């Protein structure tokens, strides 16, 4: 039997949703019929609107997805202005205040506390500068990710930015591809460092070279079926196809159509294409693609560049992110700035937009490590940029513990979450920076914290993987984390193994401190990287090195933050919630 | 009257008549033997897979993990609430629960 979601999508989906959003916005939140809420909230996702969790009814998360994370001059400032005007909640976050934007691991921006009534105005302001929320959530082409310095980088072999933009222009608001069985995540990598993270996407284009008619052609190899969610992580699998840049859009369309027609619409938990690849194997997928969806003869895979992939590869040297000052191909510089857990307050946002315009071209790019990059900074401007006060907090040279931190949304807004994430990760980073000395030669150390197994913070590909759980401590249920080790990308990507489970959240900083101390003592030499060290040991040995313990770190979120309407509110009980609220913020009384 | 029962947002909720009633990621107390050998077993529900009714009792299929022994498994037909006069009354995760036997 088709699921409810499939039935709702059959009735109305895609661009038709826009008029309905406008209609509800005009008539107010209360105009959504009570017995149609589930259906409408599912559909709204297609336009990048996600109803926030229980206790926050009538407020929405809004996601804006610029392809490849490239925000053209003026676009970043506009998003800051929108956050300033429309993204203000009924309570303040103790770390971040009220009014901010979140940079996400898929190079998008998320705003919270958005009211439906404001959405048409926000859409207009976004469209005015060429931005959109279309398909940012929902069952179709999500934001296309890629190497965030595509077009600027010295390591580039093929122009990933051009392909990401082509794919975006072709498949956004494209009726034939707007209703897929499930989300569809696409990555384009053009460089020899692998920063597109193709391995964890549904569809990945990776740089390759192929001899065709005696000539060496640059293009892409194709992989399908990666993803991290639901305790079923998969790396994308090689389907033995090479596509020239000219063929790539057609190949992408073929695979998307194949997923549309053959993906599982009966069971949403089995719907992602990774499960179809499990079932069929890459050979059958290639065969079906060739026979049913592609008019020309597909090339077999070319020579890839995976042996040089250094991005998030855990090597002692090599590239780990885009933070810092780096020369572009044109002689200008790009300056990657660290954003703690991806969150930028509106005042800082204005200052960053000013800095980008004054010292660079005004372009701002978003990375898959929740950071931002200011591009096109002339050599003579680099020092002036570095002297800007806002760069004290958004540093091109951050402490490794802050540089390596990623955290998902968590119980602050997300229905699936088991634990508080962003504020906790900021506190972890601060404590580790103050209390732990990194072992010799360790300049990069990635700690990724996800609130649940959906893995939005990509925990399985970090040095230390943290995943939300609960445990009982002194008889009481408390927030806890599973600790995983051994994950990372590179030529041979690896998912973390969950070595120690259910560690009370207040003992995790102590556990990381002990682990690093034990690593420093037991490693073969100062050249051995943390990832190599972990790869050399089995899970039991590793578990012995973790040693969770309480320290002077204090965790204010040990209680059940899920059972609050907002974890940081003075009166945080669900029955204290001011939601749902009308557009002016006055609570709507419930009728029972 | 008919009641609309469904899981929502990838198993985050049980929705009853378009209202999000039971949330995932809570710790439920289950009697011994229904999930693992702990007495009682404190089981974190990680995701709802399905929802159904048995007479007036609303049951959920879920995936969960015991906080003490670490068993991770699926749970069939966990009673999560009751329909009384057409209204849903959630049981709440604290009370000790057994599963609804098939064919009851
Ligand atoms: C309101 C907050 C959010 C909600 C309700 C939400 C919902 C979900 C859900 C339901 C899944 C799992 C479904 C599946 O993949 O099968 C998921 C996975 C994911 N989401 Fe989110 N999400 C939220 C925030 C975020 C954020 C902040 C990011 C960061 C970019 C993000 C990016 C991702 C990623 C990368 C995955 C990983 C799963 C994969 O595709 O392999 N989401 N999200
Ligand atoms: S990982 Fe889980 S808790 Fe975190 S944002 Fe994604 S769905 Fe929510
Ligand atoms: Zn048990």
């Amino acid at each position: 039997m088709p699921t409810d979601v499939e039935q709702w999508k059959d009735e109305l989906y895609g661009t038709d949703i826009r008029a309905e959003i406008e209609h509800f916005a005009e008539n107010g939140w209360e105009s959504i019929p009570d017995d149609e809420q589930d259906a409408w909230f599912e559909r709204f996702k297609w336009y990048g609107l996600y109803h926030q969790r229980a206790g926050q009814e009538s407020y929405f998360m809004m996601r804006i997805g610029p392809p490849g994370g490239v925000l053209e001059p003026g676009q970043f400032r506009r998003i800051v202005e929108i956050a300033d005007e429309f993204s203000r909640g009924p309570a303040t976050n103790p770390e971040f205040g009220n009014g901010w934007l979140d940079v996400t691991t898929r190079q998008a921006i998320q705003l919270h506390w958005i009211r439906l009534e404001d959405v048409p105005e926000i859409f207009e302001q976004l469209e005015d500068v060429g931005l959109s929320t279309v398909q940012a959530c929902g069952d179709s082409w999500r934001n296309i990710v890629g190497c965030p310095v595509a077009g600027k980088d010295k390591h580039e072999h093929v122009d990933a930015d051009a392909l990401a933009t082509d794919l975006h222009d072709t498949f956004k608001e494209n009726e034939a591809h707007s209703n897929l069985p499930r989300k569809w995540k696409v990555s384009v990598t053009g460089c020899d460092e692998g920063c597109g993270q193709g391995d964890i996407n549904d569809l990945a284009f990776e740089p390759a070279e192929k001899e065709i008619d005696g000539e060496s052609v640059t293009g892409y190899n194709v992989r399908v079926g990666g993803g991290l969610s639901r305790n079923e992580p998969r790396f994308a699998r090689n389907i033995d196809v090479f596509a020239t840049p000219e063929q790539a859009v057609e190949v992408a369309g073929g695979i998307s159509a194949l997923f549309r027609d053959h993906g599982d619409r009966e069971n949403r938990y089995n719907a992602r294409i990774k499960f179809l690849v499990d079932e069929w194997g890459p050979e059958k997928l290639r065969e079906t693609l060739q026979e049913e969806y592609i008019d020309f003869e597909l090339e077999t895979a070319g020579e890839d560049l995976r042996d040089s992939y250094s991005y998030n590869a855990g090597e002692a040297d090599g590239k780990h992110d885009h933070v810092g000052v780096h020369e572009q191909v044109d002689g200008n510089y790009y300056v990657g700035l660290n954003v703690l857990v991806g969150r930028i307050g509106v005042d800082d946002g204005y200052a960053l937009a000013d800095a980008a315009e004054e010292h660079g071209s005004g372009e701002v790019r978003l990375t898959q490590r929740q950071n931002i990059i200011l591009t096109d900074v002339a050599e003579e401007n680099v020092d002036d940029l570095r002297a800007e006060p806002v760069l004290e907090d958004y540093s091109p040279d951050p402490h490794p513990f802050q540089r390596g931190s990623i955290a998902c949304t968590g119980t602050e807004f997300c229905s699936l979450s088991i634990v508080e994430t962003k504020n906790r990760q900021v506190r972890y980073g601060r404590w580790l920076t103050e209390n732990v000395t990194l072992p010799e030669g360790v300049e990069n150390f990635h700690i990724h914290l996800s609130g649940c197994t959906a893995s939005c913070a990509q925990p399985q590909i970090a040095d230390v993987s943290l995943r939300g759980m609960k445990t009982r401590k002194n008889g009481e249920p408390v927030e806890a984390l599973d600790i995983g080790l051994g994950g990372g990308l590179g030529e041979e990507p690896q998912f973390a193994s969950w070595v120690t489970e259910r560690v009370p959240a207040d003992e995790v900083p102590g556990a990381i401190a002990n682990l690093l101390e034990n690593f420093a003592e037991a490693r073969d030499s100062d050249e051995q990287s943390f990832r190599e060290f972990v790869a050399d040991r089995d899970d039991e040995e590793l578990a012995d090195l973790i040693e969770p313990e309480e320290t002077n770190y204090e965790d204010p979120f040990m209680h059940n933050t899920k059972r609050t309407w907002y974890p940081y509110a003075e009166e945080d009980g669900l029955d204290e919630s001011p939601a749902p609220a009308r557009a002016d913020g006055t609570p709507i009384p419930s009728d029972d | 009257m008919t009641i609309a029962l469904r899981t929502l947002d990838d198993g985050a909720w049980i929705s009853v008549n378009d209202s999000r009633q039971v949330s995932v990621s809570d710790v439920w107390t289950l009697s011994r033997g229904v999930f693992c050998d702990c007495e009682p077993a404190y089981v974190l529900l990680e995701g709802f897979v399905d929802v159904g009714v048995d007479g007036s009792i609303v049951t959920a299929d879920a995936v969960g993990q015991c906080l003490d022994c670490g068993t991770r498994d699926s749970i069939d037909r966990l009673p999560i609430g009751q329909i009384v006069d057409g209204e849903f009354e959630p049981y709440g995760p604290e009370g000790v629960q057994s599963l609804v036997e098939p064919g009851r």
Side-chain angles (χ1 to χ4, degrees), chain B residues 4-104:
Chain B
L5 283 175
R6 56 180 76 98
T7 61
L8 271 190
D9 292 350
D10 304 300
W13 302 102
I14 302 288
S15 160
V16 184
N17 290 334
D18 283 68
S19 140
R20 304 184 287 193
Q21 287 286 353
V22 182
S23 161
V24 80
S25 310
D26 261 328
V27 180
W28 289 66
T29 313
L30 303 182
S31 53
R32 187 211 298 265
V34 302
F35 188 78
C36 58
D37 288 335
C38 299
E39 175 61 34
Y42 298 101
V43 178
L44 178 89
L45 296 193
E46 294 182 282
F48 290 117
V49 185
D50 208 353
V51 56
V53 269
D54 191 307
S56 64
I57 298 176
V58 179
T59 64
D61 295 348
V63 176
Q65 187 176 31
C66 172
L67 298 188
D68 293 316
C69 71
T71 300
R72 176 176 268 135
D73 206 347
S74 53
I75 306 168
D76 291 337
R77 300 153 66 84
L78 172 72
I80 53 168
Q82 208 174 357
I83 306 286
V84 179
D85 300 331
E87 295 283 327
F88 178 75
E89 289 179 1
Y91 290 147
E94 289 88 4
V96 178
Q97 304 270 335
S98 305
L99 306 186
V100 176
E101 298 301 330
R104 207 187 81 157

Side-chain angles (χ1 to χ4, degrees), chain A residues 274-481:
Chain A
K274 64 185 176 186
F275 298 115
L276 189 66
V277 183
D278 285 359
E279 193 187 319
W280 281 11
E283 299 80 18
K284 178 171 173 186
L285 192 134
R286 187 188 201 281
E287 253 171 56
T288 312
L289 177 67
Q290 177 73 76
E291 278 165 25
E292 295 177 26
Y293 297 97
I294 300 288
D295 289 336
F296 58 88
E297 178 95 10
L298 289 166
E299 299 285 346
T300 57
E303 187 79 32
D304 65 35
L305 306 173
R306 290 179 67 92
D307 63 354
S308 65
Y309 280 11
S310 58
Y311 183 80
N312 195 15
E315 289 158 8
D317 48 10
K319 180 129 140 200
H320 298 260
D321 57 26
H322 298 86
V323 175
V325 181
H326 304 271
E327 196 178 356
Q328 299 178 181
V329 268
D330 62 3
N332 286 328
Y333 287 78
Y334 72 81
V335 181
L337 304 179
N338 185 54
V339 182
L340 263 189
V341 300
R343 187 162 285 179
I344 304 174
V346 291
D347 293 339
D348 295 340
Y350 285 120
L352 290 164
D354 290 345
E357 281 159 23
E358 196 171 325
H359 307 291
S361 60
E363 185 184 76
V364 176
R365 296 189 175 200
L366 314 172
T367 82
Q368 295 189 56
R369 299 197 53 79
Q370 299 182 331
N371 292 324
I372 63 169
I373 299 170
L374 313 186
T375 57
D376 311 321
V377 180
E379 188 172 5
E380 63 269 23
N381 290 349
V382 170
D383 286 342
D384 290 346
L385 170 59
R386 296 196 67 148
E388 291 285 353
V390 70
L391 265 67
E392 280 166 33
D393 287 330
Y394 298 80
S395 171
D397 185 23
H399 189 282
F401 282 127
Q402 316 213 304
R403 180 174 188 153
S405 288
I406 292 184
C408 76
T409 301
T411 46
E412 184 174 18
F413 299 113
C414 175
S415 325
L416 281 149
S417 193
I418 304 169
V419 300
E420 203 283 336
T421 51
K422 280 198 193 281
N423 288 34
R424 176 172 277 143
Q425 181 78 320
V426 168
R427 297 172 70 91
Y428 281 1
R430 204 179 283 146
W431 188 89
L432 290 168
T433 302
E434 282 164 10
N435 293 282
V436 177
T437 313
L438 274 159
E440 192 61 34
V442 178
E443 272 148 33
N444 282 279
F445 196 73
H446 293 173
I447 304 177
H448 298 186
L449 168 55
S450 247
C452 80
T453 59
S455 304
C456 302
Q458 307 172 346
Q460 300 96 326
I461 52 165
D463 293 306
V464 171
S465 310
L466 303 176
R467 175 175 77 183
M469 245 295 144
K470 288 262 166 68
T471 192
R472 289 164 52 79
K473 184 166 175 167
N474 310 323
E476 292 295 316
V478 295
E479 298 201 354
L481 298 172

